[in-house]
Amino acid sequence: MATRIPFDETYWEEYLSGQEASLPALPALTQLTPRVTRLLAGNPGIMQLQGTNTYLVGTGTARILIDTGEGRPIWHTMLAAYLREHHLTLEYVLLTHWHGDHVGGIPDLIAHDPTLQSRIYKHRPDRGQLPIANGQRFMVAGATVRAVFTPGHAIDHTCFLIEEENAIFTGDNVLGHGFAVVQDLAEYMASLARMAVLGCERGYPAHGAVIEDLPAKMQLYIHHNEVRVQQVIAVLAEGMKLPGKRGGMTVPEIGRAIYGEVPGELIENAIVPFLSQVLWKLAEDRKVGFEPGETSKRRWFELLAQ
């Protein structure tokens, strides 16, 4: 059985660290609207941008918490102080996905309030947690939050639509700055399309600033991924015309055709996994095929329309 090549995030760190300087500063705690308050998780970094955004949702004394950061004491201290100062409790804890910078704060929450153990929800729950079904609603005073299953960035990724604002908590699928790292491009592009048709005007991302024009951002993301796909198809089509390439091209050959002569280490550890996602998506769409064999030497070719 053919195996997919995992994406190695470390090889994007030099590029991403150069982007950090251009990120706008975000306050640690901000009431964004009468029913949405953002708390930064205190974990700024190359992949986390200004840090993981966590959100309190609702207008009454019982609130919904979306994501828990990665377990930094500064976040739990800030959250506990805010809850105490405003006489608030947590009715539900909703997790967008399993990654550590979104679930790491759970032990501190349970230590703060052991009853929360029975009110933590995730699409693929860990032991003691509860499952989230697509379309499931969570209601508190002032807010109705509906789960939208959106895999691709992660196998269990879920967004949460807040019906009173026509807005959506986009998790890691759509960021406030730049583009997301993707685990499965085919699922991810399907999820982007599913999110776009919801027609939400505003996005609350898990990283970065509020997305004020979400439809425009969604179209940018969709176009960005469509361009990646079309680039690969075009290179394979051209390759079929070249001597010695009529049997197809390896992923490193495709990478060099698109990006030029880049260092071999970058090709192997970043571009090959990156392009492999595109190729698998195209294979599932029956637009490209590949020869069986060793992954690094496998040749990919365009499947001509019948």
Side-chain angles (χ1 to χ4, degrees):
M1 180 177 177
T3 56
R4 302 186 184 215
I5 303 173
F7 183 87
D8 186 348
E9 295 176 356
T10 60
Y11 282 85
W12 292 109
E13 290 189 357
E14 184 176 348
Y15 167 76
L16 291 169
S17 62
Q19 303 302 301
E20 277 190 284
S22 65
L23 294 176
L26 298 180
L29 191 155
T30 314
Q31 184 168 349
L32 299 170
T33 72
R35 56 177 55 82
V36 177
T37 299
R38 180 183 64 208
L39 299 87
L40 285 181
N43 60 328
I46 290 167
M47 302 304 295
Q48 289 78 33
L49 306 181
Q50 298 97 326
T52 304
N53 295 328
T54 69
Y55 296 95
L56 287 171
V57 185
T59 59
T61 56
R63 302 289 173 93
I64 297 170
L65 175 67
I66 296 179
D67 281 342
T68 69
E70 66 179 40
R72 299 286 180 91
I74 190 173
W75 174 79
H76 177 255
T77 299
M78 177 172 57
L79 174 66
Y82 187 85
L83 295 175
R84 184 171 57 251
E85 179 183 351
H86 296 274
H87 308 288
L88 303 176
T89 60
L90 298 178
E91 186 69 18
Y92 306 105
V93 179
L94 308 182
L95 304 172
T96 57
H97 60 296
W98 68 269
H99 290 168
D101 59 322
H102 298 261
V103 303
I106 290 173
D108 286 332
L109 281 180
I110 294 172
H112 170 78
D113 180 357
T115 67
L116 286 174
Q117 176 72 64
S118 61
R119 285 175 277 146
I120 298 172
Y121 292 76
K122 184 155 61 68
H123 180 76
R124 291 194 172 190
D126 295 328
R127 185 176 181 180
Q129 298 174 357
L130 297 170
I132 300 175
N134 185 49
Q136 186 172 352
R137 282 179 166 83
F138 301 86
M139 291 177 284
V140 293
T144 303
V145 171
R146 174 159 52 93
V148 183
F149 183 47
T150 53
H153 169 77
I155 194 170
D156 62 341
H157 195 280
T158 304
C159 296
F160 298 101
L161 187 150
I162 178 167
E163 296 181 357
E164 289 80 0
E165 293 192 3
N166 193 27
I168 190 167
F169 297 90
T170 62
D172 276 5
N173 268 15
V174 182
L175 307 180
H177 321 280
F179 295 95
V181 172
V182 177
Q183 182 183 40
D184 186 308
L185 185 62
E187 283 199 327
Y188 179 66
M189 291 183 71
S191 289
L192 289 181
R194 195 175 307 122
M195 292 170 69
V197 299
L198 295 172
C200 293
E201 297 174 358
R202 170 183 272 209
Y204 297 116
H207 302 278
V210 173
I211 304 164
E212 298 293 353
D213 187 351
L214 184 60
K217 177 75 87 167
M218 293 299 309
Q219 287 307 309
L220 177 64
Y221 264 57
I222 291 168
H223 177 71
H224 172 76
N225 286 286
E226 287 175 345
V227 166
R228 292 164 61 191
V229 169
Q230 291 305 317
Q231 273 185 321
V232 172
I233 291 175
V235 164
L236 287 175
E238 280 299 310
M240 296 286 284
K241 303 173 186 177
L242 299 175
K245 302 296 183 188
R246 294 193 178 105
M249 301 172 70
T250 65
V251 182
E253 287 172 343
I254 297 169
R256 289 190 174 91
I258 294 173
Y259 300 105
E261 290 301 321
V262 298
E265 187 179 59
L266 184 61
I267 284 280
E268 180 181 350
N269 293 291
I271 291 176
V272 165
F274 177 76
L275 290 177
S276 292
Q277 288 288 341
V278 178
L279 288 162
W280 281 112
K281 193 249 187 254
L282 288 170
E284 289 165 3
D285 293 343
R286 299 184 180 276
K287 293 182 179 179
V288 305
F290 59 88
E291 295 177 350
E294 186 180 341
T295 301
S296 61
K297 297 178 181 178
R298 182 179 297 137
R299 291 194 169 274
W300 296 80
F301 49 88
E302 183 185 24
L303 292 176
L304 300 178
Q306 300 297 317

